[in-house]
Amino acid sequence: MWATLFLRMMRGLIRDGALEITMPDGRVERSGDASDPIRITLTDPDLPRRILFNPELAVGEAYMDETLTIAEDDLYGFIALGVRNFAVGHGEGLESRIAPLKRYFEQLNPVGRAQKNVAHHYDLSGRLYDLFLDEDKQYSCAYFTDPEMSLEAAQVAKKHQIARKLLIEPDMHVLDIGCGWGGLALTLAQDFGARVTGVTLSEEQHAVATERVRQAGLEDRVKILLKDYRAVDKTFDRIVSVGMFEHVGVPHYREYFRHVHNKLSEDGVALIHTIGRAAPPGRTSPWITKYIFPGGYVPSMSECLKAVEKEDLWVTDVEVWRLHYAETLKHWHDRFMERIDEAREIYDERFCRMWRFYLIASELTFRLHRQCVFQFQISRRQEAVPLTRDYLYRS
């Protein structure tokens, strides 16, 4: 029965492209009418039932467990076919009615739970991230001012673009919320003369960032704290947060921007850089929640600005980066695959298949599924930044 229902569902869903499925009993079924189908093989008799009930989770787990295999391991083509035909999370039908309640419980991130969620992803072996990140360990969207530029150059361009938006001047005090391995904090101190306090909940990142500060001889300018941003009790000239807002959780958005308001000096400027969705509010993939980012969520612009406007803050600039993260993820995937044997030594084959699924699925959501990056420049006073954007493009 489950196999029949599964195949009926697939025939109804595949409209763009084609999928050829070899079922666990050996029969071959085809959905769609393209001449060159993606070919997959299912070996677990229970998999059709699991896909019917929770397709995103079941398909991801089946690829990890190799109970779903793809001809020539064309994971890129398989996920692209899925994204084109199974668009979800855009606030349609029943999903739109139950999503707010589901998000509330899935994304409650009080201090203790927030640290546990961060550790799930960021306290993985540092050797893993060394396999695919740039030399500065930037684990966020790069900025490709030239499509041919290297990942290293694009990450430098990202940091400098952020510094320009912050209007950094020497000896300004900067709070870096979610400072990662310290790369942005070091850049703001070394290249712009800032005094930076970075906070992270990751013990691994804290240790690495602290050592990098020591090696750079910048202990007098950069402090890295293992602390929740909510526990910081000082005010700052500038606040920056890159790739952290995705972990805040919808129930905490007003709380987050209230802290930004209260920690920002009267003439201060903040820059919030986050993955976003160019669509109405939706939900997080259950596979991503379970295996990659527990408690994580990609917000719509309306969700972000609804919280900002209620905390007496000015949005002084908004910029949308569209395909920059897709290109960043493509670099990460290619670098990871070049060193996948080293990844297997750190973890195992199942982990490597999970990580590859994560990188490719993420890239394709930016290319095909209305995902992008938002940069919100925020201040307490509308006069805190220039009236035009000319200052961003001066050499």
Side-chain angles (χ1 to χ4, degrees):
M1 178 185 73
W2 297 116
T4 300
L5 291 174
F6 166 73
L7 291 170
R8 184 181 300 169
M9 178 185 76
M10 298 308 295
R11 283 192 291 270
L13 287 174
I14 302 296
R15 305 289 185 181
D16 182 357
L19 182 67
E20 184 179 284
I21 308 169
T22 300
M23 297 292 287
D25 61 7
R27 60 177 157 155
V28 178
E29 300 284 345
R30 181 176 173 130
S31 302
D33 57 8
S35 59
D36 187 19
I38 300 293
R39 294 177 171 85
I40 65 171
T41 299
L42 311 184
T43 57
D44 178 1
D46 192 44
L47 188 52
R49 181 191 64 82
R50 289 169 50 216
I51 293 175
L52 279 167
F53 280 98
N54 199 334
E56 292 170 274
L57 180 61
V59 167
E61 288 181 331
Y63 180 78
M64 291 163 58
D65 296 333
E66 299 185 74
T67 56
L68 183 158
T69 57
I70 310 164
E72 300 179 359
D73 202 19
D74 183 13
L75 183 58
Y76 197 101
F78 174 67
I79 294 180
L81 180 71
V83 171
R84 291 198 306 269
N85 288 279
F86 308 133
V88 295
H90 286 300
E92 298 151 345
L94 177 63
E95 180 66 36
S96 67
R97 294 190 289 274
I98 65 174
L101 184 62
K102 289 172 63 180
R103 283 202 305 270
Y104 183 84
F105 289 105
E106 291 173 352
Q107 297 171 34
L108 280 173
N109 281 320
V111 174
R113 186 176 182 184
Q115 185 156 18
K116 182 179 178 181
N117 287 342
V118 165
H120 180 94
H121 190 88
Y122 295 100
D123 284 345
L124 295 171
S125 170
R127 288 176 58 203
L128 170 70
Y129 292 103
D130 289 338
L131 298 181
F132 65 92
L133 296 182
D134 65 298
E135 295 174 356
D136 194 45
K137 295 177 79 73
Q138 289 293 305
Y139 193 30
S140 59
C141 179
Y143 188 50
F144 290 87
T145 57
D146 180 341
E148 301 303 318
M149 69 198 310
S150 68
L151 178 61
E152 278 73 16
Q155 291 290 12
V156 170
K158 181 266 300 289
K159 290 183 292 180
H160 283 206
Q161 180 74 344
I162 288 171
R164 284 190 288 271
K165 289 190 177 185
L166 287 168
L167 297 138
I168 293 286
E169 296 179 8
D171 292 326
M172 278 186 168
H173 289 265
V174 181
L175 174 63
D176 184 356
I177 300 176
C179 64
W181 290 278
L184 179 59
L186 289 168
T187 295
L188 295 180
Q190 289 174 321
D191 296 354
F192 299 89
R195 298 182 180 275
V196 186
T197 299
V199 294
T200 178
L201 292 176
S202 165
E203 294 182 1
E204 173 79 15
Q205 290 183 334
H206 175 260
V208 171
T210 300
E211 177 59 20
R212 292 183 69 191
V213 171
R214 188 194 67 79
Q215 290 180 0
L218 288 169
E219 295 99 325
D220 62 329
R221 288 197 166 269
V222 181
K223 305 297 181 186
I224 306 296
L225 306 178
L226 186 62
K227 179 180 287 190
D228 192 288
Y229 74 96
R230 291 168 282 197
V232 177
D233 58 3
K234 297 179 180 179
T235 58
F236 297 84
D237 302 302
R238 301 291 186 260
I239 295 177
V240 64
S241 181
V242 179
M244 178 272 181
F245 190 73
E246 302 91 326
H247 304 285
V248 169
V250 175
H252 301 277
Y253 282 3
R254 284 197 63 183
E255 177 188 17
Y256 176 89
F257 286 110
R258 188 176 310 125
H259 280 280
V260 170
H261 176 277
N262 294 341
K263 293 173 178 27
L264 202 57
S265 67
E266 189 64 28
D267 290 317
V269 177
L271 192 285
I272 312 302
H273 170 120
T274 178
I275 300 172
R277 66 179 75 219
R283 64 174 177 82
T284 303
S285 157
W287 186 86
I288 289 289
T289 297
K290 181 175 181 178
Y291 290 99
I292 308 298
F293 292 119
Y297 174 68
V298 172
S300 67
M301 188 176 293
S302 60
E303 289 173 297
C304 298
L305 296 184
K306 181 180 179 181
V308 173
E309 67 189 20
K310 291 181 178 178
E311 297 304 329
D312 196 25
L313 289 163
W314 280 88
V315 178
T316 50
D317 190 85
V318 177
E319 186 173 4
V320 179
W321 293 4
R322 286 157 290 127
L323 291 171
H324 292 275
Y325 218 148
E327 294 302 317
T328 303
L329 285 154
K330 183 68 165 60
H331 277 277
W332 289 348
H333 172 265
D334 292 348
R335 289 175 172 222
F336 179 76
M337 293 305 295
E338 287 173 2
R339 303 179 66 180
I340 195 167
D341 289 341
E342 296 174 64
R344 291 190 185 102
E345 293 175 3
I346 302 170
Y347 291 104
D348 56 21
E349 178 63 27
R350 187 175 189 266
F351 180 93
C352 290
R353 291 174 72 83
M354 177 191 78
W355 205 257
R356 184 167 181 243
F357 194 94
Y358 152 58
L359 292 173
I360 291 178
S362 298
E363 176 191 343
L364 289 171
T365 58
F366 285 96
R367 296 198 188 277
L368 304 173
H369 197 38
R370 299 182 66 81
Q371 197 152 284
C372 57
V373 167
F374 301 142
Q375 282 195 341
F376 300 107
Q377 186 194 59
I378 296 170
S379 67
R380 292 179 60 167
R381 294 195 316 113
Q382 62 173 318
E383 299 91 350
V385 300
L387 293 181
T388 72
R389 305 179 87 241
D390 294 352
Y391 67 96
L392 294 177
Y393 305 106
R394 296 177 189 142
S395 59

